[in-house]
Amino acid sequence: MARYIGPVCKLCRRENLKLFLKGDRCYSDKCAFDRRPYPPGQHGQGRIKFSEYGVRLREKQKVRRLYGIFERQFRRYFHFADSEKGVTGENLLRYLERRLDNVVYRMGFASTRSEARQLVRHNHVLVNGKRVNIPSYLTRVNDTISIRERSKKIARIAESMEAVERRGPVSWLELDKASFSGVIKQLPARDDITMPIQEQMIVEFYSR
Ligand code: SF4
């Protein structure tokens, strides 16, 4: 399973938005976006004018990078979302939020989605009591996500759970910190996703 292993702060600077890809560092004064809030590269500080296509491309790239997904899989989610009833853009975001690595991150067991992905890949996460090591696994309502008994000793998980409050509440999940588990109460509504995303632009990008 491929994953991006290049420099991530450049992605925030490219997308002109803090994507919170580095956990604690993102909340410190070391954040590269706070220090250099312009795109990376020699011409980063020059004037940049986007075409209509460029604006839509950047919106798509931003969301893809936020969730740490490559193009092929992202496009697949779009096709799933497009073939379902309802608003395509909202369906797409719901698919992305339902991914197991995202849910582990949202519950606070990891400080970033890539860390959550690693927890899942390394067999630390259970879904309804069964080991699932596929980061793209799509969770459902009433699924219980928990940390495997012997993995509860991992200091990094406890540290992440301590720091989760700063990210704000996640109303569609119910977390029980004491037992390192949580339940998906409902699927996320559009208002539950607070990052500035214009999903309609992504729909327009793929529908061009
Ligand atoms: Fe983005 Fe700043 Fe976090 Fe780097 S430290 S990933 S620039 S938010």
Side-chain angles (χ1 to χ4, degrees):
M1 259 176 260
R3 70 189 166 89
Y4 177 76
I5 53 170
V8 291
C9 290
K10 279 188 178 178
L11 305 183
C12 296
R13 293 176 57 212
R14 173 61 61 201
E15 305 309 338
N16 195 26
L17 178 72
K18 286 181 82 154
L19 301 175
F20 298 95
L21 305 174
K22 276 214 161 176
D24 297 341
R25 191 183 177 99
C26 307
Y27 299 89
S28 75
D29 54 12
K30 289 184 184 164
C31 170
F33 182 80
D34 290 341
R35 286 179 171 201
R36 284 167 288 160
Y38 49 84
Q42 191 181 358
H43 305 291
Q45 294 184 74
R47 200 170 64 93
I48 298 175
K49 194 163 177 272
F50 287 115
S51 61
E52 287 204 358
Y53 167 82
V55 172
R56 284 156 184 77
L57 171 68
R58 289 266 59 90
E59 196 62 27
K60 187 265 294 180
Q61 294 293 74
K62 178 174 87 183
V63 175
R64 204 170 64 66
R65 289 166 166 182
L66 178 66
Y67 287 92
I69 300 171
F70 280 130
E71 177 62 30
R72 202 162 130 187
Q73 191 156 23
F74 195 81
R75 193 180 277 264
R76 277 185 66 211
Y77 287 133
F78 177 78
H79 286 307
F80 292 154
D82 196 27
S83 58
E84 272 187 9
K85 277 188 191 166
V87 182
T88 304
E90 291 181 16
N91 291 347
L92 173 66
L93 293 182
R94 207 171 298 118
Y95 268 110
L96 297 171
E97 286 290 322
R98 283 175 59 200
R99 286 175 54 97
L100 181 57
D101 56 358
N102 178 71
V103 173
V104 168
Y105 165 73
R106 291 277 188 213
M107 284 186 173
F109 299 137
S111 63
T112 62
R113 287 182 180 85
S114 63
E115 199 176 290
R117 182 187 180 92
Q118 193 179 41
L119 284 182
V120 175
R121 287 299 295 146
H122 291 191
N123 297 316
H124 297 300
V125 175
L126 306 176
V127 178
N128 299 325
K130 289 191 181 150
R131 206 176 61 195
V132 176
N133 62 6
I134 301 167
S136 61
Y137 176 90
L138 286 179
T139 55
R140 295 162 192 268
V141 176
N142 292 328
D143 273 356
T144 302
I145 315 299
S146 57
I147 297 297
R148 197 176 55 157
E149 195 55 43
R150 70 176 202 235
S151 306
K152 291 178 183 172
K153 287 183 251 142
I154 297 174
R156 194 73 197 105
I157 297 179
E159 285 167 18
S160 299
M161 289 176 76
E162 284 302 314
V164 70
E165 262 90 31
R166 68 186 171 195
R167 285 194 234 147
V170 185
S171 58
W172 53 284
L173 301 173
E174 196 172 80
L175 180 65
D176 179 6
K177 275 190 175 184
S179 66
F180 290 75
S181 70
V183 179
I184 300 176
K185 287 191 299 182
Q186 64 205 35
L187 294 183
R190 179 63 191 89
D191 292 346
D192 294 324
I193 301 161
T194 52
M195 286 295 273
I197 294 172
Q198 291 177 275
E199 62 275 16
Q200 186 53 33
M201 294 261 192
I202 304 173
V203 176
E204 288 170 15
F205 176 85
Y206 284 119
S207 311
R208 74 193 188 280

